[in-house]
């Protein structure tokens, strides 16, 4: 490598490091103290009994989401490792999305993500009506063009209703069988 090439690489690395520091500062300013004072898992259980998902008592950043963050990245920063429903802090949170519209709603622990699809409890209804992505004013399609879940702008809102209806019919048939077996 010539001296000129090394100098160019060094300038590029310096710029990248400065950009990372700048973005981190923007994110810290955006979040402020919104991730502090959140309910514990035990407190979230009490909220759940009142029909309130944990995220509905979190402070929402006053400023707009930094433009360099996607909705999912903004959710990861704001949720800071906490499940939007129960405030647990598992090793991994799953991206919850609406199967009808394909829009990302929030990040949930495995238990809440599984229960969300099966529950009509008031806290889950409240979560679906005002999920974390809505609280942040963000909208993002779940998936990618490679997995068939991403939509083009022209298909937004027309998300494969036939597949959703078929899945719901299949699920209804499965749950009906379990009910019959219980009797």
């Amino acid at each position: 490598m010539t001296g000129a090439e090394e100098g160019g690489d060094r300038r590029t690395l310096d710029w990248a490091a400065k950009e990372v520091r700048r973005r981190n500062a923007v994110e810290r300013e955006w979040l402020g103290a919104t991730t502090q004072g959140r309910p514990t898992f035990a407190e979230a259980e009490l909220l759940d009994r009142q029909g309130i998902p944990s995220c509905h008592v979190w402070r929402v950043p006053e400023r707009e989401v930094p433009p360099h963050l996607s909705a999912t990245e903004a959710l990861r920063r704001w949720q800071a490792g906490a499940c939007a429903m129960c405030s647990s802090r598992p090793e991994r949170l799953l991206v919850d999305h609406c199967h009808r519209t394909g829009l990302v709603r929030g990040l949930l622990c495995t238990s809440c993500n599984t229960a969300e699809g099966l529950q009509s409890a008031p806290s889950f209804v409240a979560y679906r009506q005002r999920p974390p992505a809505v609280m942040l004013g963000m909208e993002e399609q779940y998936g990618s063009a490679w997995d068939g879940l991403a939509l083009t702008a022209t298909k937004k809102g027309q998300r494969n209703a036939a597949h959703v209806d078929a899945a719901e019919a299949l699920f209804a048939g499965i749950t009906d069988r379990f009910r019959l077996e219980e009797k």
Side-chain angles (χ1 to χ4, degrees), residues 166-181:
E168 288 174 355
L170 175 65
F171 182 72
I174 292 170
T175 55
D176 288 345
R177 274 189 297 191
F178 285 118
R179 287 189 193 112
L180 290 173
E181 290 173 9

Side-chain angles (χ1 to χ4, degrees), residues 72-86:
T72 304
E73 290 169 334
L75 288 167
R76 288 194 193 288
R77 305 301 193 282
W78 182 56
Q79 289 190 225
C83 172
M85 285 299 299
C86 70

